Amino acid sequence: MSEVKGTSYYVSSSRGNDCNSGTSEHEPFQTLARINEITLLPGDKVLLKSGDTWNGQALHLKAGSNGSKDAPIQIKPYGQGGKRPIINANGQGRWIQDYHAPIELHRNKAEVSSALLFRDVSYLEISGLELTNDRETNPAADPKKYNDGLALERTGLAGIAENGPVKHVVVSDMYIHDVDGNIYDKHLANGGIYFMAHYPADGKPAAEPQKIARFDDLQILNNRVETVSRWGIAAGYTAYQNIIDQPQDGPIDDAIIAKYGSSKVLIRGNYVKDAGGDAITVMYCDRPLVEHNVSDGAARYINATDYLHPYNIEGPQDAEWGRVAAAIWPWRCKNAIFQYNEAFHTRNAHCGNGDGQPWDADYGDGTVYQYNYSFANSGATVMFCGAGSMHNTFRYNIAHSDGRGALDLAGQQDAHIYNNIFIMANGSSIITRGDAPAVIENNIFYKPDDVLEVTENWGSSSQIYDNNLFYNFSTHANDSNKQVAAKGTPVISGDTAVKVSDDRQARRHNDSTSHTAFDIFKPLPNSPAIATGKSIVDANGNQVEHDFFGRDIPLNPTIGAAEAPEDTPEDYI
């Protein structure tokens, strides 16, 4: 097969001229508008000069552009200096988003400003750019208040599928910040990075697989997203939810989600700080993998002071109905896996945010949360949300000081919760709300010695406890095989919080031979947790792989998220 070389298009705001050819580093274009006029072909490259800035401009790929499997289109920097090319949209780059279908109770059509936009472009790789889209630089672009219900929707980067599958899109190593979008609208292009699928323009859903809009091989990797609204990173919302959601409270059919949902979705290594709403969400995806991401300070605007309007500004819903946001979670996905993520300081559960959790298994089928760490989120550690939330597994996670407590069992049909460590915060509760069924096994519920008040509500008879360890509690769940540890009993090596890392990256802890920041949560020698756990068979058929630190699980497992070190006492911190 002959190599497809393509054309390289150079753009420099400082040295370019739109009368240049644009095809050499010595004759670059000056404005992004020149690129927007070009139909990009397999192997083409759009190269923006390092250190240059484009104010009030946007990069919108022309309709009909497409790469190929062997020769994707690439958008990236060129030149020396190491500084990212910057696109400051400042409310420009306007387009009309229209799902051509109703989407629940949300608005389905609005004007949007996007710094970088593509529609129906497959085999595309974007990396190394800096994108902003703020209000303060150009307030005339949107004179409405920041929290007006009809404030302008804005994104840093938006990708749309409309007339068939969009294949192989990679967004990596981007710095996207100060995107001041509408603080209410969840499912319009509105936030840092957002991918969505529409019906065709005639409003009729496609039936043939080659015409159904969705994403196939979507990778969002190692990006830094800060101070954006409403979403941090979101992928997969679709007009075809009208088909996938039948019935909404039932299981998700494998054939239906494979046909209409997005597939091979990977969100890895991203850092999201101060999202106005939710940090990272996959929606209507078939077996997405979300791993090694960090959420810090999500739900910035989800409070009773900023968030005053409903989702649907034209409808009867009150603001409280839509005033909800969590950190990293799925919506109506099949067999989503969330692992090795960290979530900190999700806000406002006591100030109007109906959620505030780091993790939320929301209206999905087969969600797995494993090997994650949370600290100081305002809500409970994990919510299993609604009658459409089923076949959930929450295992080998460590939670520290999540404000409302451990478990939010808000109506799910089942949940298997095992081998976690819940270190309680002062004023928190074991069960924050809900009496839905759950099986709760091999967990450590730990009340630190300096925590004065924890509501020891152990749930209803539909919540089955077995073989858990309770440290420093005055009451205990109805657990006939429980381990009870009085205050001062050596259980884990320490209960000091592990705070967000200085380099803002999720810390690796799956090498069983390495020492990590999380080692303080390993069991102490002679801990009553060691070898007193029960052998678990996952209720949803998920194979039990290893503990939080990558250690194999023995026949006589340890209670909690960490197995005892295999070698000598020197392995203990």
Side-chain angles (χ1 to χ4, degrees):
M1 181 181 296
S2 60
E3 181 182 356
V4 179
K5 293 184 178 180
T7 302
S8 293
Y9 297 98
Y10 296 82
V11 192
S12 170
S13 62
S14 61
R15 299 182 181 181
N17 188 309
D18 282 351
C19 295
N20 287 340
S21 68
T23 56
S24 85
E25 187 173 343
H26 304 292
E27 288 196 7
F29 295 135
Q30 184 178 47
T31 69
L32 301 177
R34 290 290 283 117
I35 298 296
N36 298 344
E37 299 169 350
I38 298 170
T39 302
L40 299 173
L41 302 175
D44 285 356
K45 295 180 176 65
V46 175
L47 303 172
L48 307 186
K49 189 176 186 303
S50 295
D52 277 10
T53 300
W54 290 263
N55 290 314
Q57 299 184 45
L59 180 58
H60 289 193
L61 302 192
K62 187 174 180 181
S65 297
N66 271 301
S68 67
K69 182 177 181 180
D70 298 320
I73 296 167
Q74 296 180 53
I75 302 174
K76 59 184 182 180
Y78 79 93
Q80 304 298 316
K83 292 185 177 180
R84 296 173 184 272
I86 303 173
I87 302 174
N88 296 323
N90 300 336
Q92 303 306 307
R94 304 285 188 97
W95 58 288
I96 301 297
Q97 180 175 14
D98 189 346
Y99 277 91
H100 309 297
I103 50 169
E104 304 173 292
L105 297 176
H106 310 288
R107 286 205 292 161
N108 66 347
K109 182 178 180 179
E111 185 177 37
V112 180
S113 164
S114 293
L116 199 161
L117 170 70
F118 66 90
R119 293 193 259 190
D120 290 331
V121 180
S122 288
Y123 300 105
L124 174 64
E125 298 176 355
I126 304 169
S127 64
L129 312 182
E130 182 173 341
L131 308 178
T132 77
N133 198 347
D134 73 356
R135 295 172 56 88
E136 295 180 1
T137 303
N138 181 20
D142 182 16
K144 300 180 183 65
K145 292 182 179 180
Y146 78 99
N147 64 342
D148 188 291
L150 293 173
L152 180 65
E153 321 286 338
R154 302 182 190 225
T155 52
L157 184 152
I160 304 294
E162 186 165 294
N163 296 297
V166 170
K167 299 182 178 181
H168 185 73
V169 173
V170 181
V171 177
S172 65
D173 186 33
M174 301 284 282
Y175 178 35
I176 299 175
H177 61 99
D178 295 294
V179 178
D180 301 325
N182 186 300
I183 71 173
Y184 308 101
D185 286 332
K186 296 181 81 170
H187 300 312
L188 293 168
N190 190 32
I193 299 172
Y194 209 142
F195 292 92
M196 296 139 287
H198 299 165
Y199 279 174
D202 62 8
K204 298 177 181 179
E208 300 84 359
Q210 69 274 18
K211 295 182 180 180
I212 295 169
R214 61 188 195 90
F215 292 89
D216 180 29
D217 186 13
L218 174 60
Q219 302 176 48
I220 304 172
L221 310 174
N222 304 315
N223 302 287
R224 183 177 173 188
V225 178
E226 297 186 80
T227 319
V228 300
S229 194
R230 170 171 172 158
W231 235 292
I233 297 172
Y237 199 84
T238 174
Y240 290 90
Q241 54 92 15
N242 296 294
I243 297 172
I244 299 169
D245 274 349
Q246 305 301 320
Q248 191 176 69
D249 290 347
I252 297 175
D253 182 84
D254 283 301
I256 293 295
I257 194 70
K259 183 176 182 179
Y260 295 101
S262 292
S263 57
K264 291 181 284 186
V265 175
L266 174 62
I267 302 182
R268 174 189 288 154
N270 302 282
Y271 167 69
V272 180
K273 182 174 175 59
D274 292 338
D278 310 86
I280 298 174
T281 309
V282 284
M283 295 172 277
Y284 298 101
C285 293
D286 186 10
R287 293 160 175 82
L289 177 59
V290 181
E291 63 180 7
H292 301 293
N293 303 285
V294 177
S295 168
D296 185 5
R300 179 166 46 102
Y301 285 132
I302 310 302
N303 59 68
T305 301
D306 296 305
Y307 194 111
L308 303 176
H309 296 288
Y311 281 156
N312 182 350
I313 196 67
E314 299 170 353
Q317 296 77 34
D318 62 27
E320 291 185 5
W321 182 83
R323 195 188 292 135
V324 289
I328 302 177
W329 59 281
W331 170 257
R332 291 300 284 168
C333 292
K334 181 77 173 190
N335 294 351
I337 296 177
F338 295 80
Q339 61 185 14
Y340 302 109
N341 302 292
E342 300 180 24
F344 306 85
H345 306 117
T346 308
R347 307 184 202 192
N348 292 319
H350 297 282
C351 306
N353 182 1
D355 285 350
Q357 304 87 2
W359 326 120
D360 172 13
D362 200 334
Y363 267 83
D365 186 349
T367 301
V368 176
Y369 279 101
Q370 58 188 10
Y371 321 130
N372 303 288
Y373 175 73
S374 62
F375 168 65
N377 299 279
S378 63
T381 295
V382 59
M383 177 166 64
F384 303 94
C385 184
S389 179
M390 62 190 68
H391 307 140
N392 299 302
T393 294
F394 190 80
R395 62 185 183 186
Y396 292 101
N397 303 285
I398 298 174
H400 199 302
S401 301
D402 290 327
R404 287 198 182 275
L407 302 174
D408 191 341
L409 302 171
Q412 91 290 343
Q413 298 188 24
D414 54 47
H416 198 181
I417 302 161
Y418 61 90
N419 284 99
N420 304 285
I421 300 176
F422 298 99
I423 299 176
M424 308 302 293
N426 197 49
S428 64
S429 301
I430 302 300
I431 307 293
T432 64
R433 58 185 166 184
D435 58 1
V439 176
I440 304 167
E441 307 177 286
N442 273 13
N443 302 284
I444 294 177
F445 292 94
Y446 189 99
K447 179 184 174 185
D449 296 349
D450 60 349
V451 167
L452 301 179
E453 180 184 353
V454 172
T455 302
E456 299 176 20
N457 55 335
W458 300 101
S460 69
S461 59
S462 62
Q463 289 147 16
I464 300 171
Y465 290 81
D466 191 27
N467 228 100
N468 299 281
L469 187 152
F470 304 93
Y471 174 81
N472 193 23
F473 287 94
S474 59
T475 67
H476 311 100
N478 183 14
D479 182 341
S480 58
N481 296 302
K482 62 181 174 288
Q483 296 286 327
V484 175
K487 182 177 180 179
T489 303
V491 176
I492 55 178
S493 297
D495 57 22
T496 303
V498 177
K499 297 183 179 180
V500 63
S501 63
D502 291 337
D503 59 6
R504 303 301 193 261
Q505 293 182 348
R507 286 153 287 202
R508 301 280 172 160
H509 52 81
N510 57 341
D511 179 352
S512 63
T513 65
S514 297
H515 288 299
T516 77
F518 302 105
D519 286 355
I520 59 171
F521 303 123
K522 291 178 178 178
L524 282 167
N526 304 316
S527 169
I530 294 175
T532 56
K534 65 183 292 186
S535 182
I536 296 290
V537 176
D538 188 275
N540 301 304
N542 300 304
Q543 182 179 354
V544 178
E545 299 169 334
H546 52 75
D547 76 348
F548 184 89
F549 296 98
R551 294 185 184 273
D552 293 336
I553 308 301
L555 291 176
N556 296 313
T558 295
I559 296 174
E563 281 298 321
E566 299 162 353
D567 301 318
T568 65
E570 284 76 17
D571 283 345
Y572 289 93
I573 294 299

